[in-house]
Amino acid sequence: NVNALVSGAFNAIKYANKDIIFSISPMASIENNYNNLYADVKYWVECGFVDYIIPQLYFGFDYPDDNFKFNNLLNDWKELICDSKVGLLIGLASYKAIPELPADIEEWQNNNDIIARQIKICKNDSEIQGYVLFSYSSVFGEREEYEEQTKNIVDYFKSEDANE
């Protein structure tokens, strides 16, 4: 039923206007999408039912579970979309500048440049078409933790690395 819904939405959108871009932002784990949410992202990519997929890679580099470390998740998604016409954008968790989950606290409290480093990885990888920051309030929020993370993002864009 989920596959029929996604396929139907894609076809209806393209019927109305073939230039409209249809994307879906699934959870980070391809396996968990399939097993827990019945979201067969592999099938959607194989069939071309989305123009872009935006996995929510809301994890740091040092997450305690290797399967959920940012680089490992990123590699899984890059492998999924290779040889397909589906574009890959990466969802990044700027809101984690104020971490709530025990597995996130140490890394995110001790590193206010995680998002800037993730943006750099996305920007320098030809298989990735861009990134999306979640959420607006955490990028433009007035809390000190958000301001520090945002400053590091801005500093990255002002750097020579970003202009290469």
Side-chain angles (χ1 to χ4, degrees):
N1 287 336
V2 176
N3 288 345
L5 173 70
V6 171
S7 170
F10 178 81
N11 288 327
I13 289 167
K14 295 303 177 177
Y15 179 78
N17 181 339
K18 65 179 175 59
D19 295 326
I20 293 175
I21 294 172
F22 179 64
S23 65
I24 293 180
S25 183
M27 67 176 5
S29 168
I30 295 169
E31 183 179 318
N32 285 350
N33 277 296
Y34 185 80
N35 293 328
N36 299 332
L37 300 178
Y38 311 105
D40 192 348
V41 295
K42 289 181 184 178
Y43 183 72
W44 304 343
V45 169
E46 288 170 7
C47 295
F49 290 157
V50 293
D51 296 306
Y52 288 93
I53 198 124
I54 311 169
Q56 299 169 11
L57 304 191
Y58 297 171
F59 298 87
F61 297 100
D62 299 325
Y63 197 77
D65 182 340
D66 282 346
N67 293 319
F68 287 90
K69 289 183 177 180
F70 177 80
N71 288 325
N72 295 338
L73 289 166
L74 182 63
N75 288 333
D76 291 345
W77 285 96
K78 286 171 40 177
E79 184 177 323
L80 177 67
I81 61 101
C82 76
D83 300 325
S84 80
K85 294 181 180 178
V86 174
L88 180 63
L89 303 169
I90 303 300
L92 302 176
S94 55
Y95 73 91
K96 283 200 173 180
I98 303 173
E100 295 178 5
L101 299 176
D104 294 322
I105 290 174
E106 184 177 345
E107 180 180 13
W108 289 84
Q109 281 184 343
N110 295 326
N111 299 281
N112 59 13
D113 67 341
I114 294 171
I115 299 297
R117 289 188 287 152
Q118 291 174 338
I119 288 171
K120 182 178 180 177
I121 289 169
C122 293
K123 190 171 183 312
N124 291 325
D125 191 319
S126 62
E127 297 176 83
I128 301 170
Q129 284 72 47
Y131 54 89
V132 177
L133 300 175
F134 183 80
S135 75
Y136 179 89
S137 63
S138 61
V139 175
F140 298 101
E142 295 181 8
R143 292 188 57 174
E144 181 180 341
E145 298 89 336
Y146 293 145
E147 289 174 1
E148 291 173 7
Q149 190 83 254
T150 301
K151 179 189 177 308
N152 284 316
I153 294 169
V154 170
D155 288 349
Y156 166 70
F157 282 113
K158 290 179 179 179
S159 74
E160 289 183 27
D161 286 345
N163 296 314
E164 291 178 358

